[in-house]
Amino acid sequence: MTTESTMTQSPARARPARSVLAGVAAFGALGAYVLVSSVGLGLWTSLGPGPGLFPFAMGAVLASMSVLWLLQELRRPSAAGEKADGGLVLAVVVSLVLLAALLDLLGFQLSMFLFLMYHLKIRGKRGWLSALLTALAGSVGAFYAFNYGLNVALPVSSIPVLNLIGL
């Protein structure tokens, strides 16, 4: 084998993993579903943006990112990943289910604050000050940004005492 023949040989081309392609297809399908569904809600009304405009934008971003991800994987497949931490996946899924179940009872601010504190302090082992500030910004800050900035009503607590203090 000569030097020239080794330089002209192309290395074995790696292919994207099936699990990665399945992830790309799932996100692409979700993006397409959100795009189609949001058109039915109305993208624009006589008063301004319609209820489907924000989901339409998010669906477009999701579908576009899926296409970019696919192109990136076809061009340079990512290395085989490590096995997922089952405990972490279970903790995230259970905490999301609890968050969804507690939203109407405790309200968005308190439920999201507890969710974020659990993930930042206990799971992420962040410092108290960092976890507290991030959880406050993600719960109270997001509540006020959506309620007063975007006029999107987030759930408040159904417990009278919590509702009276603005939670």
Side-chain angles (χ1 to χ4, degrees), residues 34-76:
V34 171
L35 277 172
V36 171
S37 298
S38 62
V39 170
L41 295 173
L43 300 179
W44 203 264
T45 66
S46 61
L47 300 174
L53 184 62
F54 185 69
F56 184 83
M58 292 296 102
V61 168
L62 187 58
S64 300
M65 297 304 288
S66 300
V67 170
L68 288 176
W69 186 14
L70 177 64
L71 293 175
Q72 182 183 19
E73 284 297 322
L74 291 175
R75 189 172 185 189
R76 189 172 6 146

Side-chain angles (χ1 to χ4, degrees), residues 9-163:
Q9 288 179 344
S10 63
R13 191 166 172 95
R15 302 179 71 178
R18 287 183 182 178
S19 60
V20 171
L21 293 177
V24 170
F27 280 111
L30 180 64
Y33 173 76
V34 171
L35 277 172
V36 171
S37 298
S38 62
V39 170
L41 295 173
L43 300 179
W44 203 264
T45 66
S46 61
L47 300 174
L53 184 62
F54 185 69
F56 184 83
M58 292 296 102
V61 168
L62 187 58
S64 300
M65 297 304 288
S66 300
V67 170
L68 288 176
W69 186 14
L70 177 64
L71 293 175
Q72 182 183 19
E73 284 297 322
L74 291 175
R75 189 172 185 189
R76 189 172 6 146
S78 57
E82 298 175 13
K83 189 173 182 177
D85 180 6
L88 177 62
V89 172
L90 182 65
V92 170
V93 170
V94 169
S95 65
L96 283 171
V97 169
L98 284 173
L99 174 66
L102 293 175
L103 272 177
D104 285 335
L105 180 66
L106 298 179
F108 176 84
Q109 296 176 81
L110 189 55
S111 301
M112 186 57 72
F113 178 78
L114 294 173
F115 175 81
L116 291 173
M117 281 300 288
Y118 168 73
H119 282 284
L120 292 169
K121 183 63 191 153
I122 296 173
R123 299 296 304 183
K125 302 191 185 336
R126 306 263 312 254
W128 277 106
L129 183 61
S130 171
L132 186 64
L133 291 177
T134 305
L136 281 173
S139 58
V140 177
F143 181 82
Y144 281 98
F146 272 86
N147 266 6
Y148 301 112
L150 299 173
N151 283 333
V152 175
L154 293 176
V156 293
S157 176
S158 61
I159 299 173
V161 173
L162 295 176
N163 197 327

